[in-house]
Each structure stands twice: as structure tokens, then as C-alpha cells.
Amino acid sequence: MAEKKKRNVPAHFSIGAGAIAGGVEAVITYPTEFVKTQLQLQSKKTLNELNSQIKFSGPIDVLRQTIKDKGFFAIYKGVDAVCIGAAVKAGVRFLSFEQLKIALADKDGKLSSGRRVLAGLGAGVLEAMIAVTPSETIKTKLIHDQNSPNPKYKGLIHGTKSIIKSEGIRGIYRGMTAVVLRQGANSAVRLTTFDFLKENSTRFYLKKDNNGPVILPWYVNFMNGALAGIVTVYSTMPLDVVKTKMQSLDGAKRYKNSLDCLYRTARDDGIKALWKGTTPRLGRLIFSGGIIFTVYESMLNVFEDLTKK
């Protein structure tokens, strides 16, 4: 069976390959994350608060106005925080998912669908607590601050120091509940969907070659990752919107908790507001899924080749 053909990935390979894949993916797809965050930070009720005078009509308008007013590299504001966070979280995600799958497998090494989802959920919770919450809180505040006439944060280091100084360490863990819920759901859906697609793809290639472990072509991994990204976006978008609003500059003052944020967003802006930013996030996760899994598998091959020499 396909399960027996899988290669065992050493922990240090998994962390290293995951970190590289996460960093590469973050840099390539960051503009879509920037656009998504800008759209989510807008609210009918808060456009004129905190000097947030900019109103974007859609994803293209975000790019057009930002580049026109502040230059091309403005759409990469906050990328350093996300890149570092992405590298750490991807390493944690791949390592924990593989280890949890091993721990949850039965005596024959088989994993049920329910336990595979549980492994993905556990991986998401771990990465949310270790890397995602602080990196995305800082990213969101840096992007939100850029909308002000006189931004107060000069960059990642200055922004992080300023946030901790004014809000304490809790300032960079703002909205952690929403992040854990979103990241847990993201990983449960994304990793489980990809694993399912990969398993079925592997069975197809096993019919052609039964000798040794099956290494899927890069375009198959890319397609499987893209499909997993589509499923993830539509099923977890409300959690992503709540997370962004909780981590905004006024999130601590405006919302009591994640549930209050969810309720008030739906009340003030309508149910559709819970899927605001879907287009750029969809664009990001379609490509990020393909990129991260393709780079991950490629780096594993590189590491294995280096150890053989």
C-alpha cells in the first residue's frame, strides 16, 4: 500500500525544509496577504477613526492606491515579521504533524481520517502559540499603522519594541484565541486535505512503479497544495477576519473577545463581512499551498542527497 512506500523524514530535515519552504512562500505571496489585511481592517463604522481615512473598493484598488501614494515596496510593509514567523511556523507545522501522525497511528501504522484531522489540528495549535500569533499581530499593527497620516512605527524592530513598551508582552499575543482557532482549523483542513490528495496521487503512481518509495512530481504536489488551499479558505475565512480585527490597533479597546468581535462584525457590516478579503487570501493560499509543499519536498531531496555524499 501507499502508506508503506512513504519515506521516514528525520526531525531535523523536517524542521529545516519546512522553515525554508515557509520563508520562500511568505516572501512570494506577501502582497496578497497585505491586500487581504487592508480590506479586513476596513469597517463601515471605523473608517474615520484612528485617522483611517483610506477606503479601498477592492483588491486591485488596494494595490493601486498603496503603490501610487507610498511606492511599490509599501505593499511589503510587515513582510519581515511574516517571513520570520512563516519560517518558524512551517518548521513547527511539518515536524509536529508528522510526529503526531506517528503517535496517533494504530499498531499497524495506519491512520484513520479522524486521527489525521486531529494531527492537523494539533499542529495548527502548536504553530499558533509558538510563532503565528506574535508575527501576525506585529504584521497587522504595522500595516494598520501605515494607514495613518503620520505612522509611528519605523520598522519591525522599532514596531515590536513600541508595542511591547505600550501594551506589554500581551500586546504581541493579542487575539491569540482567534489565532489558535483559525490556525488549528487551517491546519486541520489544509494538511488533512493535502494528505488525502497525496495518498490518492501516490496510489496512481504506484500502479506504474512498485519499486521503492514514490516521489511525486513537483506539479502534482503543487496541484494538491493548491486544491487544499481552496478548501481551507472558504471553510475558515470568518476566523481569519476575527483574528485580523482583534489584532488591529484598536482591537483591544473595541472588542471584548473573539466572540464579541464575530457578533459585532456581522451586526455592523453584515454576514458577508465575515468573508471579506476572500479573493486575496484565496489567491495566496492557492499559490502558497503549491509553493510550500513543492519547496518542502525539494529541500528534503537536497538534504538527503547531501547526507549521502
Side-chain angles (χ1 to χ4, degrees):
M1 294 299 290
E3 189 72 24
K4 293 182 181 180
K5 297 288 184 177
K6 286 183 178 180
R7 55 184 172 182
N8 293 318
V9 181
H12 56 291
F13 280 14
S14 185
I15 293 175
I20 293 173
V24 171
E25 175 269 327
V27 172
I28 293 175
T29 63
Y30 187 75
T32 59
E33 178 70 14
F34 176 88
V35 170
K36 180 211 72 173
T37 302
Q38 287 285 29
L39 290 174
Q40 290 177 344
L41 288 173
Q42 290 189 145
S43 167
K44 294 176 181 178
K45 197 170 183 179
T46 61
L47 281 173
N48 296 317
E49 296 181 9
L50 293 175
N51 295 317
S52 297
Q53 302 294 329
I54 302 174
K55 182 174 182 179
F56 304 112
S57 60
I60 300 300
D61 191 46
V62 174
L63 292 173
R64 184 183 63 80
Q65 285 198 48
T66 302
I67 294 174
K68 178 183 177 182
D69 297 340
K70 301 183 179 181
F72 175 78
F73 289 104
I75 63 175
Y76 277 92
K77 186 72 172 180
V79 68
D80 37 11
V82 172
C83 186
I84 294 171
V88 175
K89 75 179 183 181
V92 172
R93 181 195 310 144
F94 282 109
L95 173 65
S96 57
F97 183 57
E98 294 299 332
Q99 294 303 310
L100 286 170
K101 284 200 299 180
I102 293 173
L104 293 171
D106 61 22
K107 61 181 181 180
D108 296 319
K110 295 181 180 180
L111 198 68
S112 65
S113 297
R115 292 190 176 188
R116 183 177 280 110
V117 171
L118 186 60
L121 179 64
V125 170
L126 285 173
E127 64 175 307
M129 296 173 66
I130 296 172
V132 182
T133 302
S135 68
E136 293 211 3
T137 299
I138 294 168
K139 175 216 67 177
T140 299
K141 290 181 182 293
L142 289 175
I143 292 176
H144 201 181
D145 178 62
Q146 184 176 288
N147 292 343
S148 304
N150 300 303
K152 58 183 179 181
Y153 301 139
K154 299 177 182 179
L156 173 62
I157 296 177
H158 178 261
T160 303
K161 288 182 177 179
S162 298
I163 294 168
I164 294 177
K165 182 177 180 180
S166 62
E167 302 179 42
I169 195 66
R170 293 181 61 184
I172 61 173
Y173 275 90
R174 188 72 60 192
M176 184 170 178
T177 300
V179 177
V180 168
L181 289 174
R182 187 207 67 166
Q183 207 62 32
N186 271 359
S187 292
V189 174
R190 194 180 191 188
L191 293 174
T192 301
T193 301
F194 180 82
D195 227 35
F196 171 79
L197 294 171
K198 181 180 179 180
E199 189 173 287
N200 283 276
S201 298
T202 302
R203 287 172 182 166
F204 173 77
Y205 280 90
L206 273 173
K207 295 178 182 178
K208 297 182 177 181
D209 180 13
N210 289 314
N211 298 317
V214 175
I215 305 299
L216 295 175
W218 70 267
Y219 53 85
V220 174
N221 282 326
F222 193 98
M223 184 182 297
N224 289 341
L227 290 173
I230 293 173
V231 175
T232 303
V233 169
Y234 285 105
S235 60
T236 65
M237 198 66 206
L239 295 174
D240 189 73
V241 170
V242 170
K243 182 273 304 180
T244 299
K245 288 182 176 292
M246 287 292 293
Q247 293 177 333
S248 64
L249 292 175
D250 61 337
K253 298 179 181 178
R254 181 166 295 281
Y255 307 113
K256 297 177 182 178
N257 49 49
S258 298
L259 187 61
D260 179 55
C261 178
L262 179 70
Y263 167 73
R264 292 175 63 178
T265 298
R267 182 195 66 186
D268 296 341
D269 299 319
I271 294 295
K272 289 184 178 180
L274 295 176
W275 275 267
K276 184 176 287 185
T278 295
T279 300
R281 186 173 181 233
L282 185 63
R284 182 182 180 222
L285 285 192
I286 286 176
F287 287 103
S288 73
I291 293 169
I292 200 166
F293 285 110
T294 301
V295 174
Y296 178 72
E297 292 294 333
S298 297
M299 291 310 303
L300 287 181
N301 291 333
V302 170
F303 290 159
E304 288 176 353
D305 289 341
L306 289 174
T307 56
K308 292 177 182 178
K309 294 179 179 180

